[in-house]
Amino acid sequence: MAMFIFIMVLQVILGLFFLFTGSKIISGKMADEFKRFGLPSFFNVLTGSFEIVGAMGMIVGLWIPGFAFWAGLLLGGTMLAGAFTLIVLAKDPIQKAIPATVLFVLSLVVSMYYFF
């Protein structure tokens, strides 16, 4: 029962977090970061859309678990790509990729819970 509650709370936290950050990315407030990475401007919309869709999947997944499974994979993949971008494309120190890596792991924890 404790694991179930932990996963539900985690889904809500991830859902709200990615809804906020996805909206921020789509609005263009992080456009300078994407330019710094050498990515075309449509990556703002693409990444923000992935985060918003994943956030909605996490929230809907509270009632329909399959949505949380797929949302976790989508968000996990997005965060893995983000960590890779920071380390390889931007040549930032590994420490800057820690938040993306933690979000990658947490998103996969949700997916794994529903997979097994």
Side-chain angles (χ1 to χ4, degrees):
M1 184 63 162
M3 185 60 144
F4 174 77
I5 293 170
F6 171 75
I7 293 296
M8 295 294 123
V9 170
L10 183 57
Q11 281 178 241
V12 170
I13 291 169
L14 288 172
L16 293 174
F17 176 81
F18 281 111
L19 191 61
F20 174 76
T21 58
S23 300
K24 187 175 174 181
I25 291 169
I26 283 182
S27 73
K29 291 181 180 174
M30 294 183 66
D32 290 340
E33 278 292 293
F34 283 82
K35 284 180 190 172
R36 183 173 77 89
F37 303 147
L39 298 172
S41 61
F42 77 87
F43 268 83
N44 289 331
V45 175
L46 183 66
T47 304
S49 297
F50 283 172
E51 290 192 11
I52 290 172
V53 167
M56 292 188 309
M58 283 290 174
I59 301 301
V60 171
L62 295 169
W63 296 275
I64 307 170
F67 278 83
F69 170 77
W70 290 108
L73 291 180
L74 175 65
L75 293 171
T78 303
M79 290 298 97
L80 185 60
F84 177 82
T85 300
L86 286 168
I87 295 167
V88 175
L89 294 181
K91 297 187 181 6
D92 285 348
I94 288 179
Q95 293 85 346
K96 287 200 86 176
I98 290 174
T101 305
V102 169
L103 290 166
F104 161 71
V105 170
L106 292 175
S107 297
L108 286 187
V109 164
V110 172
S111 286
M112 289 185 347
Y113 177 81
Y114 290 111
F115 183 74
F116 297 108

Tab-separated table of all heavy atoms in Angstrom, residues 10-37:
chain	number	residue	atom	x	y	z
A	10	LEU	N	4.084	10.666	-6.541
A	10	LEU	CA	5.110	10.928	-7.545
A	10	LEU	C	4.486	11.337	-8.876
A	10	LEU	O	4.962	12.272	-9.535
A	10	LEU	CB	5.998	9.694	-7.727
A	10	LEU	CG	7.167	9.821	-8.701
A	10	LEU	CD1	8.086	10.983	-8.319
A	10	LEU	CD2	7.937	8.500	-8.763
A	11	GLN	N	3.416	10.675	-9.273
A	11	GLN	CA	2.731	11.042	-10.520
A	11	GLN	C	2.205	12.470	-10.470
A	11	GLN	O	2.335	13.212	-11.449
A	11	GLN	CB	1.566	10.090	-10.791
A	11	GLN	CG	1.978	8.776	-11.374
A	11	GLN	CD	0.797	7.859	-11.574
A	11	GLN	OE1	0.757	6.790	-10.997
A	11	GLN	NE2	-0.164	8.278	-12.384
A	12	VAL	N	1.628	12.853	-9.361
A	12	VAL	CA	1.102	14.218	-9.224
A	12	VAL	C	2.243	15.232	-9.296
A	12	VAL	O	2.155	16.238	-10.018
A	12	VAL	CB	0.295	14.380	-7.918
A	12	VAL	CG1	-0.045	15.840	-7.652
A	12	VAL	CG2	-0.965	13.532	-7.958
A	13	ILE	N	3.319	14.954	-8.567
A	13	ILE	CA	4.463	15.876	-8.567
A	13	ILE	C	5.055	15.996	-9.966
A	13	ILE	O	5.297	17.101	-10.461
A	13	ILE	CB	5.528	15.430	-7.545
A	13	ILE	CG1	4.988	15.626	-6.124
A	13	ILE	CG2	6.831	16.193	-7.739
A	13	ILE	CD1	5.841	14.975	-5.043
A	14	LEU	N	5.290	14.852	-10.622
A	14	LEU	CA	5.840	14.887	-11.984
A	14	LEU	C	4.874	15.572	-12.943
A	14	LEU	O	5.288	16.355	-13.803
A	14	LEU	CB	6.164	13.473	-12.472
A	14	LEU	CG	7.370	12.791	-11.824
A	14	LEU	CD1	7.459	11.329	-12.267
A	14	LEU	CD2	8.654	13.524	-12.136
A	15	GLY	N	3.594	15.278	-12.810
A	15	GLY	CA	2.597	15.899	-13.685
A	15	GLY	C	2.606	17.411	-13.574
A	15	GLY	O	2.658	18.129	-14.584
A	16	LEU	N	2.590	17.909	-12.351
A	16	LEU	CA	2.590	19.364	-12.155
A	16	LEU	C	3.905	19.989	-12.599
A	16	LEU	O	3.916	21.040	-13.247
A	16	LEU	CB	2.318	19.690	-10.682
A	16	LEU	CG	0.926	19.336	-10.169
A	16	LEU	CD1	0.830	19.566	-8.665
A	16	LEU	CD2	-0.152	20.109	-10.920
A	17	PHE	N	5.022	19.329	-12.272
A	17	PHE	CA	6.331	19.857	-12.655
A	17	PHE	C	6.452	19.963	-14.172
A	17	PHE	O	6.853	21.004	-14.702
A	17	PHE	CB	7.447	18.966	-12.097
A	17	PHE	CG	8.816	19.405	-12.540
A	17	PHE	CD1	9.452	20.447	-11.898
A	17	PHE	CD2	9.450	18.798	-13.613
A	17	PHE	CE1	10.708	20.874	-12.314
A	17	PHE	CE2	10.695	19.216	-14.037
A	17	PHE	CZ	11.326	20.254	-13.383
A	18	PHE	N	6.123	18.891	-14.889
A	18	PHE	CA	6.282	18.901	-16.339
A	18	PHE	C	5.243	19.785	-17.026
A	18	PHE	O	5.512	20.320	-18.103
A	18	PHE	CB	6.276	17.481	-16.904
A	18	PHE	CG	7.584	16.773	-16.735
A	18	PHE	CD1	7.708	15.708	-15.860
A	18	PHE	CD2	8.706	17.186	-17.443
A	18	PHE	CE1	8.926	15.053	-15.702
A	18	PHE	CE2	9.926	16.550	-17.292
A	18	PHE	CZ	10.037	15.478	-16.420
A	19	LEU	N	4.090	19.960	-16.426
A	19	LEU	CA	3.112	20.901	-16.980
A	19	LEU	C	3.684	22.317	-16.916
A	19	LEU	O	3.610	23.073	-17.897
A	19	LEU	CB	1.802	20.814	-16.204
A	19	LEU	CG	0.608	21.530	-16.789
A	19	LEU	CD1	0.258	20.983	-18.169
A	19	LEU	CD2	-0.585	21.397	-15.865
A	20	PHE	N	4.298	22.646	-15.797
A	20	PHE	CA	4.908	23.968	-15.625
A	20	PHE	C	6.089	24.160	-16.586
A	20	PHE	O	6.160	25.154	-17.303
A	20	PHE	CB	5.356	24.149	-14.170
A	20	PHE	CG	6.129	25.412	-13.937
A	20	PHE	CD1	5.487	26.636	-13.881
A	20	PHE	CD2	7.507	25.379	-13.784
A	20	PHE	CE1	6.204	27.811	-13.684
A	20	PHE	CE2	8.240	26.540	-13.582
A	20	PHE	CZ	7.584	27.759	-13.531
A	21	THR	N	7.027	23.210	-16.588
A	21	THR	CA	8.216	23.388	-17.421
A	21	THR	C	7.883	23.291	-18.910
A	21	THR	O	8.465	24.011	-19.714
A	21	THR	CB	9.327	22.375	-17.077
A	21	THR	OG1	8.836	21.049	-17.234
A	21	THR	CG2	9.842	22.590	-15.666
A	22	GLY	N	6.954	22.418	-19.272
A	22	GLY	CA	6.555	22.312	-20.676
A	22	GLY	C	5.942	23.610	-21.180
A	22	GLY	O	6.237	24.067	-22.289
A	23	SER	N	5.113	24.229	-20.344
A	23	SER	CA	4.508	25.515	-20.708
A	23	SER	C	5.576	26.598	-20.846
A	23	SER	O	5.523	27.424	-21.758
A	23	SER	CB	3.488	25.940	-19.650
A	23	SER	OG	2.468	24.990	-19.542
A	24	LYS	N	6.544	26.559	-19.950
A	24	LYS	CA	7.637	27.539	-19.990
A	24	LYS	C	8.460	27.381	-21.275
A	24	LYS	O	8.837	28.364	-21.908
A	24	LYS	CB	8.525	27.346	-18.756
A	24	LYS	CG	9.592	28.378	-18.573
A	24	LYS	CD	10.326	28.144	-17.261
A	24	LYS	CE	11.490	29.092	-17.126
A	24	LYS	NZ	12.234	28.863	-15.884
A	25	ILE	N	8.713	26.131	-21.660
A	25	ILE	CA	9.501	25.884	-22.873
A	25	ILE	C	8.732	26.331	-24.111
A	25	ILE	O	9.275	27.013	-24.976
A	25	ILE	CB	9.892	24.395	-22.969
A	25	ILE	CG1	10.897	24.040	-21.877
A	25	ILE	CG2	10.479	24.079	-24.348
A	25	ILE	CD1	11.148	22.552	-21.722
A	26	ILE	N	7.463	25.967	-24.214
A	26	ILE	CA	6.654	26.338	-25.389
A	26	ILE	C	6.522	27.846	-25.511
A	26	ILE	O	6.521	28.391	-26.615
A	26	ILE	CB	5.260	25.670	-25.340
A	26	ILE	CG1	5.399	24.208	-25.737
A	26	ILE	CG2	4.280	26.371	-26.257
A	26	ILE	CD1	4.103	23.455	-25.784
A	27	SER	N	6.435	28.538	-24.376
A	27	SER	CA	6.257	29.993	-24.408
A	27	SER	C	7.488	30.712	-24.959
A	27	SER	O	7.419	31.896	-25.251
A	27	SER	CB	5.949	30.518	-23.004
A	27	SER	OG	7.102	30.486	-22.195
A	28	GLY	N	8.611	30.007	-25.062
A	28	GLY	CA	9.828	30.628	-25.583
A	28	GLY	C	10.740	31.184	-24.513
A	28	GLY	O	11.788	31.756	-24.823
A	29	LYS	N	10.376	31.012	-23.251
A	29	LYS	CA	11.198	31.548	-22.170
A	29	LYS	C	12.548	30.836	-22.041
A	29	LYS	O	13.447	31.347	-21.398
A	29	LYS	CB	10.453	31.470	-20.838
A	29	LYS	CG	9.278	32.421	-20.775
A	29	LYS	CD	8.566	32.361	-19.458
A	29	LYS	CE	7.401	33.338	-19.469
A	29	LYS	NZ	6.572	33.234	-18.289
A	30	MET	N	12.666	29.671	-22.682
A	30	MET	CA	13.936	28.939	-22.632
A	30	MET	C	14.587	28.861	-24.011
A	30	MET	O	15.476	28.051	-24.248
A	30	MET	CB	13.712	27.536	-22.070
A	30	MET	CG	13.271	27.549	-20.614
A	30	MET	SD	13.099	25.909	-19.919
A	30	MET	CE	14.781	25.342	-19.941
A	31	ALA	N	14.158	29.722	-24.917
A	31	ALA	CA	14.666	29.692	-26.295
A	31	ALA	C	16.180	29.885	-26.355
A	31	ALA	O	16.856	29.273	-27.188
A	31	ALA	CB	13.958	30.751	-27.141
A	32	ASP	N	16.720	30.713	-25.471
A	32	ASP	CA	18.167	30.942	-25.472
A	32	ASP	C	18.943	29.669	-25.149
A	32	ASP	O	20.015	29.436	-25.701
A	32	ASP	CB	18.542	32.047	-24.477
A	32	ASP	CG	18.070	33.417	-24.936
A	32	ASP	OD1	17.819	33.576	-26.149
A	32	ASP	OD2	17.958	34.323	-24.092
A	33	GLU	N	18.400	28.856	-24.261
A	33	GLU	CA	19.055	27.584	-23.934
A	33	GLU	C	19.108	26.682	-25.160
A	33	GLU	O	20.120	26.061	-25.441
A	33	GLU	CB	18.318	26.855	-22.802
A	33	GLU	CG	18.673	27.334	-21.427
A	33	GLU	CD	20.103	26.992	-21.035
A	33	GLU	OE1	20.427	25.802	-20.864
A	33	GLU	OE2	20.905	27.933	-20.909
A	34	PHE	N	18.001	26.585	-25.888
A	34	PHE	CA	17.965	25.725	-27.068
A	34	PHE	C	18.925	26.242	-28.149
A	34	PHE	O	19.553	25.453	-28.842
A	34	PHE	CB	16.537	25.599	-27.594
A	34	PHE	CG	15.696	24.653	-26.776
A	34	PHE	CD1	15.095	25.061	-25.605
A	34	PHE	CD2	15.514	23.345	-27.188
A	34	PHE	CE1	14.330	24.189	-24.839
A	34	PHE	CE2	14.753	22.456	-26.443
A	34	PHE	CZ	14.157	22.889	-25.257
A	35	LYS	N	19.042	27.567	-28.261
A	35	LYS	CA	20.014	28.146	-29.199
A	35	LYS	C	21.429	27.799	-28.774
A	35	LYS	O	22.280	27.486	-29.602
A	35	LYS	CB	19.850	29.671	-29.272
A	35	LYS	CG	18.674	30.133	-30.069
A	35	LYS	CD	18.595	31.648	-30.086
A	35	LYS	CE	17.281	32.107	-30.691
A	35	LYS	NZ	17.104	33.553	-30.551
A	36	ARG	N	21.674	27.853	-27.475
A	36	ARG	CA	22.994	27.526	-26.942
A	36	ARG	C	23.385	26.089	-27.280
A	36	ARG	O	24.540	25.783	-27.529
A	36	ARG	CB	23.001	27.723	-25.421
A	36	ARG	CG	24.337	27.483	-24.759
A	36	ARG	CD	24.280	27.863	-23.281
A	36	ARG	NE	23.608	26.877	-22.466
A	36	ARG	CZ	24.218	25.833	-21.888
A	36	ARG	NH1	25.504	25.643	-22.058
A	36	ARG	NH2	23.541	24.995	-21.139
A	37	PHE	N	22.386	25.214	-27.329
A	37	PHE	CA	22.644	23.811	-27.673
A	37	PHE	C	22.823	23.613	-29.172
A	37	PHE	O	23.182	22.541	-29.626
A	37	PHE	CB	21.504	22.913	-27.203
A	37	PHE	CG	21.208	22.988	-25.732
A	37	PHE	CD1	19.918	22.824	-25.282
A	37	PHE	CD2	22.200	23.230	-24.791
A	37	PHE	CE1	19.620	22.878	-23.925
A	37	PHE	CE2	21.920	23.290	-23.441
A	37	PHE	CZ	20.618	23.116	-23.000
